[in-house]
Amino acid sequence: MTTRNSLRSQLVYSAAIGIAMVIASIIYILFATLRLQQIVNDQFRTERALQELQLEVVAVRTPFLNYLSSRSSRALSDLLAEEQVLRGMLPDHTRIESDPALLARREIYSMLTSYLDLIQHAIDLKRARAIEEYTLLYEEMADMSDHIVERIDRISLSGLRGELARYEEIIETSRELLFWNLAVIILAFVASTLWISISINRVTDPMNRLAWMAGELSSGNFDIADIEIDTVHEVGAVISAFNTMKHDIRQYISELNRQQKMEQLLKRMELYTMQAQMNPHFLFNTLNTGVQLAITENAERTADFMEHLAGFFRFNLRERNFIVPLRREIEGLEAYLYILRIRFPKSLGFSLDVPEDLLDSFTVPALMLQPLVENSVIHAFKGIDRPGKISIRVRREGSILILSVRDNGIGIDEETARRLLGPHSRDVEHDSKVMGLENVIHRLHFFFPDEPDVVTIHSDPAWGTEILIKINTEVEPCIPF
Amino acid sequence: MRNGSRILLVVVFLVFAFALTRSVTTMISLTQAVATRTGAGEPRSHHVAVFLPEQDTLFFEELENGVVAVADDYDIAISFHPIGPDTPEFRLARYTGIDGAIIYPYLPEREMRRQLELLEENEIPVVLVEQDVADDWPWTFVGTNNFELGRRIGARLAERSEHGRIVVVYSDKAPAVAAEKELIELGMTTVMGDRLAAPITRRQTALNPLDAEALTYQLLRSTSPSPVTALVFTDTDDTLAALQAIINLNLVGEVQVIGFGVTDAIIDYLDRGVLDATIAVNPQRIGIESVRVLAELLETGNAPGYVDTGVEVIRGAPR
């Protein structure tokens, strides 16, 4: 990029050219006006010069006569002075022109030169006391002087008449000249203003387009066309950088959208898959229980049982929301516990501790507690003769809602607990024995990706296992589309 | 928008250029007009003064035309001046810086000669036109040979069998002819000889162009000493005025009239037979020849002493 195309140079050149044009026009107008004055002045210059000449011709007569009369040195001095003045008014050389007026002037100048020479001759004659000669000479010179004066009058009058006749023509032409001069200065101003305006626009136009483009980008429209414009170096660099930035941002956002969509799609598929995985297990087991109950007990209990069973299925199968009120989650759990109490009337005891005020105040991911209880029922009491106990408790600590499922079973070994909580647990060969627990853990990590301790497992063979779910109520769960 | 501004700028600039051009051309034309008025033209090699009597006659007008017509050809600038007893211009001519003079001698012979000698002393060459002064004068003469003029008039008059009284009317309007009355009449007498029944009568008109009319009435009504049978005029205005009187007196064809000059009116009278003949001395040719001869004098210092511009008698339609 050349220096000539820089912003500073452009502004300086434009202003300089515009101002120079106006100044040049003003100088021309000044010159034209002065020339016009000179022309008008010259029009009568000849007549004025002839009048001055005539006055001087008359003026020289008196000292000439005084000298011839008195021969005084003072008279001679005056005469010589006047003679010098008159001689100084005569041109050194006059061309022979065909114009009659110029020829007449030439004759007058010649006669005056001769007249001045005759004065010198008369002085010489006076000094030589040649009285008769200088007297005759004076007489001839007097006639000559009169004739010169008379001819100057005639030429002057003739010239004046001619000039007056042409005066109107000159005034008319002068008027035309003034009109065109006015047009020149006005057009110079207009042209300069336009020139500077165009030069400024060359700088500001790209900036305006840049501002418009910035507005479009800020409103999320990255599909606008690039700015391509011939402008100064500095603005060109900004536009180029802006175009590049727009391209980069558009590409980056496009990539992000693509990744986000793929991720959400995967999550959704995963959730549906996990929710769908639970149903066959439970349905199978409860149906067996329902059959046994129908054999051994009367129809009233069976009906009660089936009612809870139906309620449970209804909650399980119809619930398509990922996040549900705590009350609904607990209601589903209670239906499930009812079924479990029927199923394990003596070997298992259940307790549910949920403060009433929390039920309608919080929401939780759906189907969290039931799989955990189911997991304890299935795995915690293997090989144990004592009565099992499963306690479900919900409490609040500050902004943290804590859901706890605790059993007094055999516990979970440390390796299994770490594997269940680890990031690659899904890649491991499925173990149906812990699948319900693993399902819950995964879902919680999906909903709260930024809360690594949302679920923890505390286990000891001496007292059993407690699974704690800590939901930060100030954090919105990440819900997939 | 931006293109529109550029187009507007180009248009404004074109109009600006047009206005500037018009302004400059107007300024130049104004300057040239003033320069023309101040006479800034091509200079001439010589300045020649032409001295003619202050008379507004066709003869001098045509003579001036002849001078002006060829002045450029010889690179001479011409100035016209009056000559006569009442004007000092000719007497001061030697002080005016002229290179030469064409002079119609219109001063008393002695004064004329003295002034011509003064011009000669100042080395100013001179050509005299139309009016010869004296045979011993050394200055070049361009004009009509008046003796020949008289011969031609006499030959025309002699074509008639017999004449009573012949009147020649001279005029102050044609001083060149008037100054050589004797020479003209000598020429006429030479040709007519015995056919002249009486001596030629002389009459003179003044500068008034109508003088001849009254004179003609007077001459034609008078029968003493004998009736006028022929009238010869030496000026165009006199000719025209006299012809009107002859028509009024119903004497067309009765009196032989020889006029002077070749104008449309004269030719018309010739065609109608009112005028018998007219003398054509061609003053324009006199002017042309005088310039040519003076130019020759200025360039070479030599010129012929006498240039005859000729004379012609044009006949009218027969009656």
Side-chain angles (χ1 to χ4, degrees), chain A residues 28 96 140 166 170 181, chain B residues 22-23 37 41 44 89 94:
Chain A
Y28 169 73
I96 301 174
E140 186 177 352
R166 291 167 189 140
I170 287 189
N181 285 351
Chain B
R22 286 301 305 267
S23 174
R37 278 200 289 277
R44 305 293 181 194
E89 294 214 21
R94 63 184 185 279

Side-chain angles (χ1 to χ4, degrees), chain A residues 48-172:
Chain A
R48 285 202 311 275
L50 285 172
Q51 290 301 318
E52 289 170 9
L53 195 62
Q54 189 185 45
L55 290 173
E56 194 54 37
V57 170
V58 173
V60 83
R61 284 178 184 173
T62 306
F64 182 44
L65 180 59
N66 286 345
Y67 175 69
L68 292 181
S69 307
S70 64
R71 201 177 169 231
S72 72
S73 57
R74 181 180 179 80
L76 178 62
S77 170
D78 291 345
L79 175 60
L80 292 176
E82 291 293 346
E83 186 251 339
Q84 285 303 312
V85 171
L86 188 54
R87 202 178 283 278
M89 295 173 77
L90 301 177
D92 296 333
H93 173 71
T94 49
R95 301 193 316 172
I96 301 174
E97 305 281 356
S98 57
D99 181 23
L102 293 178
L103 271 182
R105 253 187 277 168
R106 183 174 184 273
E107 288 177 359
I108 287 171
Y109 295 146
S110 294
M111 279 194 283
L112 279 171
T113 305
S114 301
Y115 185 75
L116 294 173
D117 293 342
L118 288 176
I119 286 176
Q120 286 296 332
H121 184 49
I123 291 171
D124 293 341
L125 291 174
K126 178 71 179 175
R127 283 172 178 160
R129 300 180 193 280
I131 300 170
E132 193 174 342
E133 284 87 345
Y134 73 67
T135 302
L136 286 172
L137 185 59
Y138 174 77
E139 192 177 336
E140 186 177 352
M141 288 176 69
D143 286 347
M144 193 174 176
S145 174
D146 289 343
H147 177 63
I148 290 170
V149 169
E150 189 262 334
R151 283 206 69 183
I152 289 175
D153 267 342
R154 269 194 283 155
I155 294 170
S156 250
L157 186 60
S158 171
L160 205 57
R161 282 175 180 161
E163 293 304 334
L164 284 175
R166 291 167 189 140
Y167 187 69
E168 184 59 32
E169 181 193 341
I170 287 189
I171 290 298
E172 183 62 33

